[in-house]
Amino acid sequence: LEEKSFYNKIASFYDDMTRFTERLDTEQHILQQWVDSYQISSAVDVACGTGLHAIALARLGVVTTGADVSENMLTTARAHAKNHNVHINWVQQPMQSVELDQTFDAVFCLGNSLPHLKDPNELDQTLGHFKKLLNPAGIIVIQLLNYDRVLANKHRLVGMNKKDDTRYIRFYDFEESYIRFNVLAIKESDDQSSTNWQSTRLYPFTKDQLLTSVLKIGLQADVYADLDPNPYEDDSKNLVLVASQTQK
Ligand SMILES: C[S@@+](CC[C@H](N)C(=O)[O-])C[C@H]1O[C@@H](n2cnc3c(N)ncnc32)[C@H](O)[C@@H]1O
C-alpha cells in the first residue's frame, strides 16, 4: 500500500507538522460534545495516526480502540498514550478490511484519512466494514476536506507551518481523477539545510459520492462543516459526515 509507506516515512515529523501537542485539549473539548450527546462509551478511531483523537476519547472515559495501517504512526501513538496515562487497544489494520471482535457506539475516521481509499468502490466496501463495527444506535463520524471546494478552486497549497528549524509545506498536484498529496519538510540550520519530500495519491470524494455510498450500505447521513458542528456550506473548508442506522 502506497499510503502505508508514505506514513511510515513521515511519521517522525507528523506531530510537529500537525501540531499534536497544541491540538490535544481543543480536540478533546470538541469530542466531549459528541460523547455526551450520543452517549458514547466505546469507540474505534480508524486511521488513528499518532492517536490524537483516540487519546482524547480515552481521556473522556471512552473505551477506545485505535486502528491504523502504518506501524510507525502506531509506535508514536503508543508512546503518546503512555505519556498521557491512558489505555488504548492499538491494532494495525487497513481500513478497507478493518475487522474487530467487538462493536462500538462510534466509529471515527478523522483528519482527512478517507481520501486514501482508491475509488468509490473501495469507499462502499470500507463503509460496509465500518457499519459492521456499530452497535444498533451507533454512529459513524467521518471528517475530510471539502473536495467539492478543492476541485472547484484547484488551490495547490494545502498548508504550511514551521516548528523549530523545520518548515512543512503540504501541496497538491491535480491529476486526471486523483490528487497527488505532497509533503515537503525543509530543515534549515545555521550551516546546512536538508529536504524530505514524500507524496501519496488521494481520491477526492465529493459530498454526493459520500452520501451515495452511505445510502448504498443502508445508513442515513447528515453533513456538517466541522465537528463543532456548524452547518455545511458549499465553501466550508471541511466536511463532516455522520452516518447512523436510524433517524436521530
Ligand atoms: C492524515 S493522517 C490522519 C491521522 C489522524 N486520524 C489524525 O487526525 O491526526 C491519515 C492516517 O491514515 C492512515 N492510513 C492511510 N491509509 C490507510 C488505510 N488504507 N487504512 C488504515 N489507515 C490508513 C495513515 O497511516 C495515517 O495515520
Side-chain angles (χ1 to χ4, degrees), residues 26-45:
T26 333
E27 299 288 318
Q28 183 171 330
H29 193 71
I30 292 168
L31 288 172
Q32 169 102 61
Q33 303 173 65
W34 292 82
V35 169
D36 292 347
S37 47
Y38 289 93
Q39 301 185 333
I40 298 168
S41 57
S42 62
V44 56
D45 183 9

Side-chain angles (χ1 to χ4, degrees), residues 89-108:
N89 174 32
W90 303 109
V91 293
Q92 188 181 1
Q93 279 189 16
M95 58 181 148
Q96 293 90 329
S97 55
V98 60
E99 211 176 82
L100 299 161
D101 55 10
Q102 72 180 104
T103 54
F104 303 87
D105 295 334
V107 176
F108 289 97

